[in-house]
Amino acid sequence: MEDYKEIAHSLITQFYSPTPIPGVEPTELTTQEVLTMLQGIIPQHPITDHDVYETLIALGYTICQVHIEHIQEGAPAYTTPVLHWQLYPLE
């Protein structure tokens, strides 16, 4: 059986760096968004959000706080803080 966590590790490091790259803006993704990206290649059931979390921690990716703006007609706008992973694209 394939070691899907190793495949996830390899795919993430093929396209992203955990270290800031001069002149490159980070891509900010949730654990679920990284999982969804990987599921385009890796079958859905062999990898979970826990595997993605463990892989990103092991690779040294950092967490940042972003603010999501909510706008609803007839109500005041507000923001919600959300934690995302910072991934620096290698391309």
Side-chain angles (χ1 to χ4, degrees):
M1 177 177 244
E2 294 283 340
D3 184 354
Y4 290 107
K5 284 176 72 173
E6 283 301 315
I7 294 170
H9 180 284
S10 176
L11 287 170
I12 291 168
T13 58
Q14 180 178 348
F15 296 101
Y16 296 99
S17 170
T19 308
I21 300 170
V24 175
E25 290 293 318
T27 299
E28 297 167 344
L29 300 171
T30 64
T31 302
Q32 186 61 48
E33 289 170 328
V34 175
L35 174 62
T36 299
M37 180 175 59
L38 292 170
Q39 286 176 338
I41 301 297
I42 299 173
Q44 182 175 0
H45 296 293
I47 190 168
T48 68
D49 53 343
H50 297 284
D51 299 323
V52 170
Y53 175 84
E54 290 173 3
T55 299
L56 291 169
I57 289 290
L59 291 170
Y61 286 89
T62 57
I63 297 170
C64 66
Q65 185 179 52
V66 299
H67 294 274
I68 306 297
E69 186 174 12
H70 302 276
I71 301 172
Q72 187 175 0
E73 193 174 320
Y78 65 96
T79 61
T80 303
V82 180
L83 298 176
H84 283 193
W85 294 100
Q86 283 190 318
L87 296 91
Y88 294 87
L90 294 173
E91 298 181 344

